[in-house]
Amino acid sequence: MNVPAWLLPHRITVEPYLGDSAYRQQYGPPVEDVPALVAETIRTVRDREGREVTSTAQIIAEPGLDCPAESRITLPDGRTTRAISVAQHTAPGLPVPQSTEVSAE
């Protein structure tokens, strides 16, 4: 069971992080109009290297969202941020919705 669409009132754009080149970070083509629930609150989270960093936006989206850490995200208000950490929430066999949670700068 996936998170219900009516719980995802916001729309974001995700540019998936592909890696670093000799000159800069590389991103995939933008995926626009991604349904999400965006909460712009300040939290302390751990990045992919285990360091404590500050997250200013938390995003809930449908499961399987292609948004690795370091991806660029454009929030509904037009602010561009980057993904700090991504968690896939699944609960096979349990009656709870599956989702993707992204903590962003």
Side-chain angles (χ1 to χ4, degrees), residues 22-74:
Y23 302 104
R24 61 187 169 146
Q25 294 180 325
Q26 299 291 310
Y27 299 95
V31 179
E32 298 179 351
D33 204 33
V34 176
L37 174 64
V38 178
E40 294 194 55
T41 59
I42 297 174
R43 289 188 178 166
T44 301
V45 298
R46 293 202 180 267
D47 66 10
R48 63 184 179 167
E49 296 173 357
R51 295 178 299 210
E52 284 190 355
V53 295
T54 302
S55 168
T56 61
Q58 297 75 44
I59 301 162
I60 300 293
E62 294 179 344
L65 176 66
D66 182 20
C67 182
E70 302 296 325
S71 294
R72 269 195 306 227
I73 303 168
T74 303

